[in-house]
Every structure is written in C-alpha cells, then in structure tokens.
C-alpha cells in the first residue's frame, strides 16, 4: 500500500511494475540485469482518488498520462532495481500529493490610478523624444 496522505492510499493491485534494461553506464551489468522500472498506475479507474484530484492529476502528469487513463513513470536513475522502484513510487506519491492541493482562485485586479498616470506620462515623454528626431 502506498500512502499519499491521511485520506488517500493507493492499493498494491492498482500499481503494475515492469522491469527493463536501463541505458547508460553500468559496464557488462547493464546488458544482463533489468534495473529500469516502469511503474503504471491506473488513475482513471482508481476508487481511492476523488474526481477533482483525477482531473488535476491528468493535467499535472502531461505526457505521462496515457489515453486509457493510466500514469506511467519510468525510472532508470540508479543501477539498483530496488532503489529505482523506490524512486518511482516516491515520484508517483509526489505527483498525487501535488494534485490533491486545490489551486488558489485568481482575483483579477485593476491597475492603480497612480500606475496608469505614470505609464501615460512615460509614453508621452517617449513620444516627445521621438518627435525631436524628425526633420524640422
């Protein structure tokens, strides 16, 4: 079980791990041992995630979100399979944690009268400088 916060926990049956050979340095070991981890979480069908969290997760996941509603996290940072599994689970938990935060609503504001006045004064001054460049 992967615990996200006090309300959300991901069951083990919702996660699928697949191991492949990692690219990069590692000597002969890289050609024989499957250390890279592909963690797949069926987010769309998960009963533990509320709908607003699923929508935000889809937006945050970006390319990692598949058409069938799964989040795929691929990790090949280290040469050790158990450490890569840990990193993948941590990244998934962090992604879901970010999705649980409700974004603050933006309140549109007007520019102050002083800032409008200063802007118009600067524009006028700039126009006068450019007007002086013309031939008399």
């Amino acid at each position: 079980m992967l615990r996200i916060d006090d309300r959300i926990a991901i069951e083990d049956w919702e996660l699928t791990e697949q191991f492949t050979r990692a690219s990069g340095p590692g000597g002969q070991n890289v050609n024989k041992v499957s250390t890279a981890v592909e963690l797949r979480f069926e987010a769309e069908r998960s009963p533990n995630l509320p709908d607003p969290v699923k929508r935000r997760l889809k937006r945050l996941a970006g390319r990692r979100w598949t058409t069938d509603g799964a989040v795929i996290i691929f990790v090949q940072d280290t040469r050790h399979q158990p450490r890569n599994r840990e990193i993948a689970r941590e990244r998934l938990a962090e992604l879901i944690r970010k999705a649980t935060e409700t974004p603050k609503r933006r309140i549109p504001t007007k520019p102050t009268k002083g800032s409008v006045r200063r802007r118009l004064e600067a524009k006028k001054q700039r126009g006068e400088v450019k007007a002086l460049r013309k031939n008399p």
Side-chain angles (χ1 to χ4, degrees), residues 35-51:
T35 56
V37 178
E38 184 181 280
L39 181 69
R40 183 182 181 92
F41 170 55
E42 299 293 337
E44 193 70 48
R45 293 185 279 155
S46 174
N48 299 321
L49 289 181
D51 281 337

Side-chain angles (χ1 to χ4, degrees), residues 17-31:
E17 292 174 333
Q18 191 173 358
F19 304 102
T20 56
R21 292 192 181 129
S23 63
Q28 292 176 346
N29 192 51
V30 81
N31 297 326

Side-chain angles (χ1 to χ4, degrees), residues 74-129:
F74 185 76
V75 178
Q76 59 177 3
D77 294 359
T78 67
R79 292 190 210 168
H80 305 284
Q81 190 185 77
R83 181 66 188 127
N84 282 339
R85 286 179 73 189
E86 261 180 55
I87 293 170
R89 286 172 174 260
E90 288 168 9
R91 286 184 188 169
L92 177 65
E94 186 59 37
L95 193 65
I96 296 172
R97 235 177 257 120
K98 280 183 187 172
T100 57
E101 297 170 5
T102 54
K104 207 168 94 173
R105 284 205 55 190
R106 183 187 171 277
I107 301 167
T109 58
K110 278 185 178 177
T112 61
K113 286 197 174 173
S115 67
V116 171
R117 184 181 47 74
R118 285 190 298 273
R119 183 179 63 87
L120 292 176
E121 284 295 321
K123 282 173 64 108
K124 198 176 288 184
Q125 216 172 16
R126 191 79 191 133
E128 288 171 3
V129 167

